[in-house]
Amino acid sequence: EAGVAQSPRYKIIEKRQSVAFWCNPISGHATLYWYQQILGQGPKLLIQFQNNGVVDDSQLPKDRFSAERLKGVDSTLKIQPAKLEDSAVYLCASSLGAGSNYGYTFGSGTRLTVV
Amino acid sequence: KQEVTQIPAALSVPEGENLVLNCSFTDSAIYNLQWFRQDPGKGLTSLLLIQSSQREQTSGRLNASLDKSSGRSTLYIAASQPGDSATYLCAVQASGSRLTFGEGTQLTVNP
């Protein structure tokens, strides 16, 4: 089966600019996650979707980050305006469903550098 | 708030050595614990998943154990190879589906 697709692979922007990342999960996976991984740290959940509804966005900086999953398939994550501390790898993952019995599949990530 | 700690942060060993990576977590009310591998510039690959009712899982040269009451897990790698060089991440899943990750152990296996 095809994996989780993410684009772009790399992005360099200046602070205060905006940027968007795209994720296409595995076909049929109802649950989609966006994680932020700062260099040297483990990934941290930003937002979780179940189909096209938000399940958990408690750690999403909502003043500058937004995400949507229209039609319950693809998802976009946007940062506006970007700050230097947003430099990180943004990982998208999907699973068949929510809950402990479903494994995750991660994409290769988008590496964002804010200068 | 769940916190996950991994020790050591980095490890360098000669090829062929057996090694142990450690993971500890503060809240024992978990559904499962997972070990992931991350290669530079790549996403995460799931290695082993241990449900809270299980004590260990094995896959090839990898063996992971879970002691939920003490909040600890170990990943044992037998007969290490240079291809095992990567960052190994431990993550626990509690309520909902959120994974809480440790900061990882960066492993280098020298030929």
Side-chain angles (χ1 to χ4, degrees):
Chain A
E1 68 182 357
V4 175
Q6 290 189 248
S7 67
R9 287 298 311 276
Y10 306 94
K11 190 74 177 179
I12 301 174
I13 62 172
E14 295 182 350
K15 59 183 179 183
R16 292 188 288 274
Q17 285 187 323
S18 62
V19 65
F21 313 128
W22 174 83
C23 173
N24 181 235
I26 290 176
S27 177
H29 279 198
T31 310
L32 184 147
Y33 313 81
W34 283 102
Y35 281 82
Q36 179 193 57
Q37 185 176 24
I38 293 172
L39 185 65
Q41 298 182 16
K44 182 186 79 172
L45 180 70
L46 291 175
I47 190 167
Q48 175 187 342
F49 291 95
Q50 182 68 21
N51 296 308
N52 60 350
V54 175
V55 174
D56 184 350
D57 64 356
S58 57
Q59 299 187 110
L60 186 75
K62 298 179 184 66
D63 58 333
R64 298 183 301 104
F65 286 65
S66 65
E68 60 182 8
R69 190 183 184 199
L70 299 176
K71 301 180 183 178
V73 183
D74 294 5
S75 177
T76 56
L77 176 70
K78 298 179 182 178
I79 307 175
Q80 181 179 11
K83 293 185 175 181
L84 296 177
E85 58 260 37
D86 298 332
S87 295
V89 176
Y90 290 85
L91 295 163
C92 179
S94 69
S95 63
L96 272 171
S100 64
N101 293 323
Y102 299 101
Y104 280 54
T105 301
F106 280 85
S108 297
T110 294
R111 181 177 298 276
L112 174 66
T113 303
V114 183
V115 298
Chain B
K1 177 186 172 185
Q2 179 74 267
E3 293 183 1
V4 180
T5 304
Q6 291 187 244
I7 295 173
L11 182 63
S12 182
V13 301
E15 181 177 4
E17 202 164 284
N18 302 325
L19 56 100
V20 174
L21 308 182
N22 296 291
C23 172
S24 62
F25 47 96
T26 54
D27 186 348
S28 62
I30 64 170
Y31 292 151
N32 62 48
L33 182 144
Q34 300 182 53
W35 284 93
F36 292 87
R37 169 184 172 140
Q38 186 172 33
D39 293 283
K42 302 285 181 65
L44 279 64
T45 300
S46 180
L47 297 174
L48 291 165
L49 184 153
I50 312 175
Q51 298 288 357
S52 62
S53 58
Q54 297 175 320
R55 297 284 294 182
E56 66 177 339
Q57 282 286 337
T58 298
S59 176
R61 294 181 294 108
L62 305 179
N63 175 274
S65 68
L66 173 64
D67 184 342
K68 201 175 83 160
S69 61
S70 67
R72 294 179 183 175
S73 175
T74 61
L75 178 66
Y76 175 82
I77 302 177
S80 59
Q81 302 171 357
D84 295 331
S85 298
T87 296
Y88 291 80
L89 292 156
C90 163
V92 297
Q93 185 174 16
S95 59
S97 300
R98 177 192 304 188
L99 290 178
T100 302
F101 284 85
E103 296 191 342
T105 294
Q106 187 172 353
L107 173 66
T108 303
V109 181
N110 301 301

